[in-house]
Amino acid sequence: MPELPEVETMRRGIASVAGRRIERAAVIRRASVRPLTVWPSASALQRRLRGARIEAVERLGKRVILALEGGDRLVFEPRMTGLVLLTDPPTAKHLRARLTLSGKGKAELLFWDRRGLGTLSLYGPDEFAERLGPDRIGPDAWGIPASVLRDRLDASRRAVKVALLDQRALAGVGNIYACEALHVARLAPERPCCSLTRAEWRRLAKALDGVLSEAVRYEGSTLGDGTYRNALNQDGSYQAHHRVYARAGEDCPRCGDAVVVRTVLGQRATFACPRCQG
DNA sequence: CCCCAGTCCTGCGGGC
DNA sequence: TGCCCGCAGGACTGGG
C-alpha cells in the first residue's frame, strides 16, 4: 500500500521523464475490470495531455504529480494497489493508462492498478489549489518539525495513531508507518493527542523522520499480500525491517520481553508493544 | 468536532 | 480438493 516512502520511490523512479513531451495519452478500459476513476474525463484528459511538456515530477503526500508546461498538473493517486511504471506491468489486465513520451529513445509511463481504487486527475492551477491545496493536504510528514506536528494535532482528543493518518493534518503517513513511528517513539497508539507532552511530540516527530527516511532508503515496503513495486517493477525491502507492523505474536524488537499485539483502532489494524508503548 | 459504517475493488488465505 | 467468506485499507461520504 503506497504511503510516503513508496510514493517517493515512485517519484524518483520516474524523475527522468522530466523534460519529455507526452506524445499520446491513453486511458485503457477493459470489459473485465471496472474503469479507472479519471478526472475530468478520459477524453478530455487524453486531449489536454497531447503534446504537453513535463516540467517536473513531484510528490504531494501519497500522490505523484507531473507538473506540465502551462500549469496543468497530472495527479497519480495509487491508493491501495496503484503503480507508476516505466517498464512492463505485473499483469496486462490491470493496466489503466499509458503515456507515450517523445524524446530520446522510447519511453512509456504506465499506471497500473489491480484493485482499481486509484485515480488519475488532470487539474488546472485553480482546480489543483481547490482540491489539493494546503487546507486539504497538510504539510509533508517527512521531516515535519516537532512544533508543526504539535500545533496541528495537540488540541485533538483523537487517538494519536488515528490523527497521524489524517492527511489534512499531515501528509503521507499510512497505516504501516504510523505503527512503526509510534513504536520508535514509544507511544501507545490509543493515546489522545491532547495527552502528549512536548517531549513526546518531539520524540514522535523524530521517530517519523527516522522511520520515513529509513523506509525511503530501502525503497518502501512490499508486503506479501501487497503489490507495491518501484517504477521498474522491483520490490521494496523495508518490510524486512518493520518493528511491529504485521508482526503480531512476535517478540518486540525493542524490549525482547513482550509480544507485539494487534488491536483495531479507527477501524484499522494496529500493531504495538504493550510494554514499550505503555 | 469526532466517530463510525459503508463504498469502491480484487486476490489471497483460512476454514470447513 | 474446492468453495465461500472475510480481510486488506486510502479516501471519501453521510448520518449520528
Side-chain angles (χ1 to χ4, degrees):
Chain A
M1 58 208 81
E3 304 181 23
L4 188 155
E6 290 77 24
V7 178
E8 175 61 17
T9 304
M10 291 177 184
R11 188 196 68 75
R12 293 178 179 191
I14 66 162
S16 63
V17 305
R20 287 180 183 262
R21 269 180 206 285
I22 299 171
E23 202 169 277
R24 186 162 179 277
V27 175
I28 298 157
R29 291 169 187 277
R30 279 178 221 284
S32 57
V33 292
R34 178 186 161 273
L36 180 71
T37 300
V38 178
W39 175 266
S41 72
S43 58
L45 185 134
Q46 288 166 173
R47 197 178 337 112
R48 272 171 65 187
L49 285 178
R50 187 180 291 263
R53 184 175 184 276
I54 301 166
E55 302 279 3
V57 184
E58 301 166 347
R59 180 181 58 78
L60 180 68
K62 301 177 190 173
R63 293 166 170 90
V64 174
I65 296 175
L66 300 188
L68 304 175
E69 178 183 36
D72 277 356
R73 282 188 170 91
L74 182 63
V75 181
F76 296 85
E77 186 189 8
R79 300 231 185 152
M80 294 300 294
T81 55
L83 299 179
V84 178
L85 296 160
L86 286 177
T87 49
D88 290 341
T91 63
K93 182 183 173 188
H94 304 105
L95 183 61
R96 308 296 183 148
R98 173 189 288 115
L99 304 184
T100 307
L101 307 176
S102 62
K104 208 174 174 184
K106 174 181 181 271
E108 279 187 341
L109 187 57
L110 307 175
F111 189 45
W112 179 92
D113 189 355
R114 172 156 52 78
R115 291 188 205 167
L117 300 179
T119 67
L120 185 59
S121 309
L122 183 61
Y123 297 139
D126 293 345
E127 234 170 0
F128 184 84
E130 184 191 325
R131 289 168 178 272
L132 295 175
D135 54 329
R136 302 288 288 272
I137 305 292
D140 204 69
W142 193 13
I144 192 171
S147 57
V148 174
L149 183 66
R150 171 165 44 83
D151 285 351
R152 297 187 73 89
L153 294 180
D154 74 348
S156 170
R157 292 195 301 269
R158 284 187 295 177
V160 62
K161 194 246 178 174
V162 173
L164 287 176
L165 301 179
D166 181 352
Q167 303 301 301
R168 305 173 83 113
L170 72 164
V173 178
N175 208 32
I176 295 173
Y177 298 105
C179 292
E180 293 297 309
L182 287 167
H183 181 262
V184 171
R186 308 188 317 276
L187 293 168
E190 61 272 16
R191 285 274 301 278
C193 287
C194 56
S195 77
L196 268 64
T197 65
R198 295 173 78 93
E200 287 173 331
W201 286 115
R202 280 197 298 274
R203 240 159 58 207
L204 182 53
K206 192 179 169 195
L208 275 172
D209 189 51
V211 164
L212 294 172
S213 296
E214 203 174 26
V216 168
R217 206 176 316 131
Y218 285 99
E219 300 203 312
S221 305
T222 299
L223 295 171
D225 69 333
T227 49
Y228 167 70
R229 306 272 192 282
N230 70 14
L232 299 178
N233 196 21
Q234 299 160 332
D235 288 2
S237 56
Y238 192 60
Q239 65 282 359
H241 304 273
H242 289 175
R243 295 158 177 85
V244 289
Y245 186 81
R247 293 196 183 280
E250 296 181 28
D251 290 342
C252 168
R254 179 187 180 83
C255 67
D257 287 336
V259 150
V260 175
V261 169
R262 179 189 189 275
T263 55
V264 174
L265 204 53
Q267 298 164 284
R268 297 278 146 76
T270 301
F271 301 89
C273 170
R275 178 162 307 175
C276 296
Q277 300 173 253

